[in-house]
């Protein structure tokens, strides 16, 4: 459970996200608890009661900074810091070399000479992919996406989705929150539905019909008592 000032953002939520399926979507109406659940996954928020397990470990017992390097997040609104793209990436990984920075940019579908560009003078789609590269430079195991394309135009959405698909092909695990149900059907292998702060079932992605639903596979990414990720 997650309770804030007497209001339960998540209430007795129990679910598990399977490992090895690529993209898991989180769907539900506004205020249902999707973003709260996402923030629980890397300890940007902590549960009032219950546990979140990441690959068998209770994340309450893990170092938060180390966890966030393994479980990175891209937010709804692009938030590049003042300075160059290089400066932004080095903020996340100060010891990263030039090859590491270029690799992160390529994985975010930013080919070419980007490191010297002003990070605050980019288009919305470019800025969001720089933010994704800033997350990827730490080489996370899991990528959390909180409505990352809601402010982008159709062309930028297509580029972003393709970049995430390429990451999945490399073995990245992704949890993607979106109000765009058609998008989740398009990109996700499995969709967890949340309603009123409670787990409301699963839905199979359009291209993976016939797979088992989350919560039935023992090889889940995480398990918990009241909250699971």
């Amino acid at each position: 459970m997650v309770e804030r000032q007497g209001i339960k953002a998540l209430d007795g939520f129990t679910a598990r996200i399977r490992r090895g399926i690529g993209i898991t979507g989180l769907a539900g109406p506004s205020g249902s608890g999707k973003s709260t659940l996402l923030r629980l996954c890397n300890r940007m928020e902590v549960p009032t009661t219950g546990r979140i397990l990441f690959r068998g470990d209770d994340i309450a017992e893990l170092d938060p900074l180390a966890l966030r390097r393994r479980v990175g997040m891209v937010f709804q609104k692009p938030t590049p810091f003042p300075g160059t793209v290089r400066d932004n990436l080095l903020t996340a990984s100060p010891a990263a070399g030039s090859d590491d920075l270029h690799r992160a940019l390529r994985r975010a579908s930013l080919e070419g000479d980007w490191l010297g560009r002003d990070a605050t003078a980019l288009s919305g789609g470019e800025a969001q992919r720089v933010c994704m590269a800033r997350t990827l430079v730490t080489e996370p195991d899991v990528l959390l996406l909180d409505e990352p394309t809601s402010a982008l135009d159709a062309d930028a959405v297509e580029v972003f989705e393709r970049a995430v698909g390429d990451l999945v092909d490399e073995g990245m695990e992704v949890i993607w929150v979106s109000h765009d149900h058609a998008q989740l059907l398009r990109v996700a292998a499995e969709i967890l539905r949340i309603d009123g702060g409670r787990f409301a079932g699963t839905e199979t992605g359009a291209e993976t019909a016939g797979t088992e639903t989350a919560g039935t596979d023992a090889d889940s990414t995480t398990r918990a008592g009241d909250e699971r990720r």
Side-chain angles (χ1 to χ4, degrees):
M1 181 179 70
V2 175
E3 185 172 353
R4 308 186 193 103
Q5 299 179 335
I7 299 173
K8 294 178 180 178
L10 290 176
D11 184 12
F13 186 94
T14 299
R16 99 180 29 153
I17 293 176
R18 292 193 297 154
R19 187 174 180 179
I21 65 170
I23 299 174
T24 299
L26 297 181
S30 295
S32 60
K34 301 184 301 297
S35 293
T36 299
L37 177 60
L38 207 66
R39 291 195 298 271
L40 286 172
C41 292
N42 69 350
R43 286 190 66 182
M44 294 192 70
E45 190 151 353
V46 295
T48 308
T49 62
R51 298 185 304 155
I52 301 95
L53 302 187
F54 175 59
R55 299 184 178 173
D57 296 321
D58 186 340
I59 67 171
E61 299 174 0
L62 301 178
D63 177 77
L65 294 180
L67 175 66
R68 290 168 193 158
R69 294 180 71 85
R70 296 178 63 193
V71 183
M73 181 177 285
V74 178
F75 297 92
Q76 178 175 359
K77 183 179 179 181
T79 54
F81 305 139
T84 65
V85 170
R86 179 190 296 273
D87 295 334
N88 271 257
L89 271 58
L90 289 176
T91 298
S93 185
S98 181
D99 289 346
D100 301 318
L101 302 183
H102 282 292
R103 168 175 158 77
L105 290 169
R106 287 195 303 271
R107 296 178 81 199
S109 290
L110 292 168
E111 300 282 352
D113 186 14
W114 287 86
L115 292 177
R117 296 185 60 174
D118 182 351
T120 62
L122 304 174
S123 71
E126 292 168 345
Q128 189 64 298
R129 281 181 283 138
V130 165
C131 291
M132 182 160 69
R134 190 174 64 198
T135 300
L136 293 173
V137 76
T138 67
E139 297 287 342
D141 300 317
V142 179
L143 190 62
L144 309 176
L145 304 178
D146 191 3
E147 296 273 7
T149 63
S150 61
L152 306 184
D153 62 33
D155 289 342
V157 169
E158 182 178 355
V159 172
F160 191 92
E161 288 181 1
R162 187 167 59 246
V164 176
D166 290 343
L167 292 172
V168 169
D169 289 342
E170 295 176 6
M172 180 75 72
E173 306 281 349
V174 178
I175 306 175
W176 191 322
V177 167
S178 179
H179 280 99
D180 185 346
H181 194 249
Q183 180 181 58
L184 291 182
L185 286 173
R186 186 168 61 245
V187 303
E190 214 159 54
I191 301 167
L192 274 63
R193 297 191 302 274
I194 306 175
D195 194 2
R198 292 180 177 271
F199 176 64
T202 60
E203 187 174 355
T204 304
E207 297 182 357
T208 56
T211 59
E212 294 184 42
T213 58
T216 62
D217 191 327
D219 186 24
S220 59
T221 303
T222 57
R223 301 180 184 179
D226 291 327
E227 283 86 26
R228 298 186 180 182
R229 176 191 144 315

